[in-house]
Amino acid sequence: QVQLVESGGGLVQAGGSLRLSCAASGSIFRINSMGWYRQAPGKQRELVAAITSLGTTNYADSVKGRFTISRDNAKNTVSLQMNSLKPDDTVVYYCNAEVVPAYDLSRSYVYWGQGTQVTVSS
């Protein structure tokens, strides 16, 4: 099994910054993509940012220029630096990883963290 553990959420004022981190552990052979999603109550989970093992990144239009995703392949971690936060960024953020597990090299599996709350006050 593979586990994703997130940290770094919390409360911040508008215009402030937060850094989310996520560590993957368990039976990992290789991690392809890693990313962050967010989900507001009653809405679908949406991509915030993603990064491949080679460092190619993809961002939602709403966060371009404010958020930066990075990863450490050696440590199986991914981080999201969030600057210039807005009240609209207030939601639960989920870490995501596409993993080839050591027990099944024939395919990849998608794993999710449990979510971390980000609250931006106006």
Side-chain angles (χ1 to χ4, degrees), residues 6 20 22 35-40 45 48 92-96 112-116:
E6 301 133 335
L20 305 182
C22 173
W36 292 92
Y37 287 69
R38 63 188 183 186
Q39 186 171 22
R45 194 169 293 186
V48 177
V92 178
Y93 287 72
Y94 296 88
C95 177
N96 164 282
W112 294 92
Q114 291 190 325
T116 184

Side-chain angles (χ1 to χ4, degrees), residues 30-100:
R30 183 181 69 245
I31 300 179
N32 295 333
S33 66
M34 301 186 81
W36 292 92
Y37 287 69
R38 63 188 183 186
Q39 186 171 22
K43 295 189 177 181
Q44 286 190 330
R45 194 169 293 186
E46 63 176 9
L47 173 70
V48 177
I51 185 168
T52 69
S53 59
L54 297 180
T56 301
T57 58
N58 182 35
Y59 293 94
D61 288 342
S62 59
V63 307
K64 284 181 181 177
R66 300 190 297 123
F67 293 7
T68 302
I69 190 169
S70 60
R71 67 185 279 180
D72 185 328
N73 290 331
K75 296 181 179 179
N76 292 333
T77 60
V78 62
S79 297
L80 185 68
Q81 178 65 42
M82 305 185 294
N83 299 328
S84 303
L85 283 161
K86 305 175 181 179
D88 284 349
D89 296 318
T90 296
V91 284
V92 178
Y93 287 72
Y94 296 88
C95 177
N96 164 282
E98 182 190 349
V99 179
V100 177

